[in-house]
């Protein structure tokens, strides 16, 4: 009888160990599955935060163009004012304006992402990817208008023609570049690369 009782206790203990092991395995599976799910969710959220998916809105495109136009306009106006005031030729004035437009255009984006934790090289790559196409289109429209509008490049700094044609050129550049930026952002390019950094 004692032997039978001992055997009963052994089987009972063995059963408890089996249940404990099964419970541990189940708990481990649940924790692993939960961790995997959490990791997947975090990764998905990370992707959504740093990239733009789907077609861009006109508001997004307009804001991106306005951002680019601000830097370009500073460089453009400064170049035209310096060139015109110094009596430089039209060609030299245009080149100076374009160079300064790129400098200020990229500079504004670099300033905006300075807190993103990137090194200088990474920041420069982001600025180049975000603004190059936009600035190129803007400068072609802007300077093309100034060069071909009668008397615009020959007007002095005190002439209304100079400032009026410059304003008109910037407005035209904005209108033409906005659809370009909309297409770029929809494709995940242009200013889409900096959306998650602000």
């Amino acid at each position: 009888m004692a032997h039978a009782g001992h055997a009963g206790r052994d089987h009972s203990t063995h059963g408890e160990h089996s249940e404990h092991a099964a419970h541990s395995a189940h708990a481990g599976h649940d924790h692993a599955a939960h961790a995997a799910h959490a990791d997947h969710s975090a990764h998905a959220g990370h992707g959504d935060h740093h990239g733009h998916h789907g077609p861009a809105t006109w508001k997004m495109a307009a804001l991106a163009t306005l951002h680019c136009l601000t830097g370009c306009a500073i460089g453009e106006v400064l170049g035209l004012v310096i060139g015109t005031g110094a009596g430089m030729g039209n060609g030299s004035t245009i080149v100076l304006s374009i160079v300064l437009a790129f400098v200020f255009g990229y500079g504004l984006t670099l300033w905006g992402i300075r807190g993103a934790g990137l090194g200088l090289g990474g920041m420069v790559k982001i600025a180049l990817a975000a603004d190059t196409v936009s600035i190129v289109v803007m400068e072609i429209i802007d300077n093309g208008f100034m060069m071909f509008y009668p008397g615009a490049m020959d007007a002095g700094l005190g002439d209304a023609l100079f400032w009026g044609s410059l304003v008109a050129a910037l407005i035209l550049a904005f209108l033409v570049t906005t659809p370009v930026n909309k297409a770029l952002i929809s494709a995940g390019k242009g200013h889409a690369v900096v959306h998650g950094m602000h």
Side-chain angles (χ1 to χ4, degrees), residues 121-198:
M123 290 171 62
V124 170
K125 287 180 180 179
I126 292 295
L128 291 174
D131 291 328
T132 299
V133 174
S134 183
I135 294 176
V136 168
V137 174
M138 201 167 287
E139 287 305 295
I140 290 174
I141 300 300
D142 189 2
N143 288 290
F145 183 91
M146 291 296 291
M147 288 179 67
F148 291 104
Y149 192 85
M153 292 299 298
D154 297 322
L157 295 177
D159 294 340
L161 176 60
F162 175 84
W163 295 105
S165 57
L166 181 56
V167 170
L170 292 173
I171 292 174
L172 181 61
F174 175 83
L175 295 175
V176 173
T177 309
T178 297
V180 174
N181 276 327
K182 187 175 185 294
L184 287 172
I185 295 172
S186 295
K189 300 177 181 178
H191 266 257
V193 301
V194 298
H195 279 172
M197 298 182 180
H198 295 298

Side-chain angles (χ1 to χ4, degrees), residues 40-119:
H40 177 73
S41 298
H43 180 72
H46 180 77
D48 290 342
H49 180 69
H50 287 285
H52 173 77
H53 302 282
T57 64
W58 283 107
K59 181 180 179 180
M60 291 169 62
L63 289 175
T65 305
L66 186 61
H67 172 89
C68 186
L69 182 65
T70 300
C72 289
I74 293 172
E76 187 78 22
V77 171
L78 189 60
L80 289 174
V81 168
I82 292 173
T84 303
M88 296 169 60
N90 290 347
S92 298
T93 300
I94 290 294
V95 170
L96 178 61
S97 296
I98 292 174
V99 170
L100 291 178
F102 273 93
V103 169
F104 282 95
Y106 288 138
L108 195 62
T109 295
L110 290 173
W111 179 260
I113 62 174
R114 68 192 184 282
L118 298 173

